[in-house]
Amino acid sequence: MASPAEIANDMAAQAVFWQKRDKNIHRACDDAARMIRAFMAEERVDGRAYHGLHRRLFDLSVSRRWAHYGINDHLDRALRTIQILNREAR
């Protein structure tokens, strides 16, 4: 599995790709990259922000609207990463 830093970098790159294609995916990728980096820097992550991003990533990862672009796997990987980092931060 990729490291959290690699996943954060992937999410940042995905955010750039999706910037003019879909604003919801762009925002979720950008937020995921920032949250993963915040967890890695051992910053305090707000529970409401975590749960909101968790829900958005889950909803987008199960959606089939953009599945042919392969974004679902990236979103699912980011979702699993923030779950693991959140457990470790407790």
Side-chain angles (χ1 to χ4, degrees), residues 42-63:
E42 297 181 4
E43 296 174 6
R44 187 177 186 286
V45 174
D46 180 58
R48 287 181 65 190
Y50 169 79
H51 289 289
L53 178 60
H54 186 283
R55 183 66 188 189
R56 285 187 289 139
L57 287 172
F58 178 78
D59 288 346
L60 290 169
S61 70
V62 297
S63 170

Side-chain angles (χ1 to χ4, degrees), residues 7-22 25-30 33 69-72 74-75 77:
I7 295 170
N9 289 340
D10 178 50
M11 287 290 97
Q14 291 293 332
V16 171
F17 176 82
W18 288 96
Q19 188 169 13
K20 294 190 179 185
R21 289 170 177 83
D22 187 274
I25 294 176
H26 163 72
R27 191 169 139 236
C29 291
D30 193 43
Y69 281 99
I71 188 64
N72 300 66
H74 296 276
L75 295 169
R77 189 169 72 160

